[in-house]
Amino acid sequence: MTIKNYAISYSLLGFHILPLGIQAKQPHKRLAPRGLYSATDNYEMIEKWFHLEPEINIGIACRASNLVVLDVDLRNGGTIDGLPETRRIRTGNGFHYYYSADQSMTFPGKFREGIDIKWNGYVVAAPSLHPSGAIYAVDNDSDIKPIGDLVGAR
């Protein structure tokens, strides 16, 4: 499946997709002039982005997608110990754990050492290409579980 097909399938799940630069983590300057606020679940817009720039990376706007992501950075001491199983993405430096959350919830920015909580921003989505050359890849394709009490949401 192509990155364009992934983007469209994510949008059909209700995820708001953000066009990112080629092999980059930042919003594409021309296709996403409003940065994070350019994210959409409109598959026709996503088709247009890929027509104009077929090699873009994609991101998912977390809060707009009811998605909270634990960003495990192995370089900075993050471990997956004790994290409940859910959909998991292998990143260039660790893992993204996807959980569902209601948009009214709030979260701290950090879960524990080496694990950040992504909620008000976005994450790079599989199968984007990390700046290091690694591919963001689905490591566990299970259903996305609710965040529940895991991170002390308010």
Side-chain angles (χ1 to χ4, degrees):
M1 191 157 58
T2 66
I3 192 165
K4 173 182 160 186
N5 291 342
Y6 269 89
I8 292 169
S9 68
Y10 291 148
S11 75
L12 295 174
L13 293 173
F15 291 173
H16 288 243
I17 306 306
L18 179 65
L20 306 178
I22 298 170
Q23 198 171 343
K25 295 180 173 187
Q26 297 76 26
H28 192 284
K29 291 186 187 324
R30 186 169 48 92
L31 302 179
R34 299 179 324 131
L36 174 64
Y37 300 104
S38 295
T40 184
D41 62 353
N42 181 313
Y43 75 90
E44 291 171 344
M45 178 59 74
I46 295 167
E47 290 263 3
K48 180 179 176 182
W49 292 335
F50 279 93
H51 176 75
L52 295 170
E53 194 72 71
E55 295 183 22
I56 58 173
N57 274 349
I58 55 173
I60 298 173
C62 296
R63 188 179 206 133
S65 303
N66 294 318
L67 189 70
V68 62
V69 176
L70 298 186
D71 181 3
V72 181
D73 189 337
L74 301 175
R75 295 172 309 168
N76 291 323
T79 68
I80 61 173
D81 297 339
L83 295 180
E85 284 303 311
T86 187
R87 182 157 311 156
R88 183 176 61 220
I89 308 301
R90 180 174 289 282
T91 69
N93 303 309
F95 299 94
H96 286 163
Y97 277 69
Y98 286 18
Y99 297 95
S100 62
D102 184 87
Q103 287 186 16
S104 66
M105 299 173 87
T106 60
F107 297 95
K110 194 166 212 50
F111 178 61
R112 64 179 185 227
E113 190 64 34
I115 302 179
D116 292 331
I117 300 172
K118 305 294 186 182
W119 175 241
N120 289 316
Y122 65 93
V123 292
V124 180
S128 293
L129 190 58
H130 189 271
S132 70
I135 295 174
Y136 287 77
V138 177
D139 189 61
N140 178 339
D141 196 21
S142 65
D143 291 340
I144 297 172
K145 307 293 189 301
I147 191 71
D149 299 338
L150 183 63
V151 297
R154 290 173 261 139

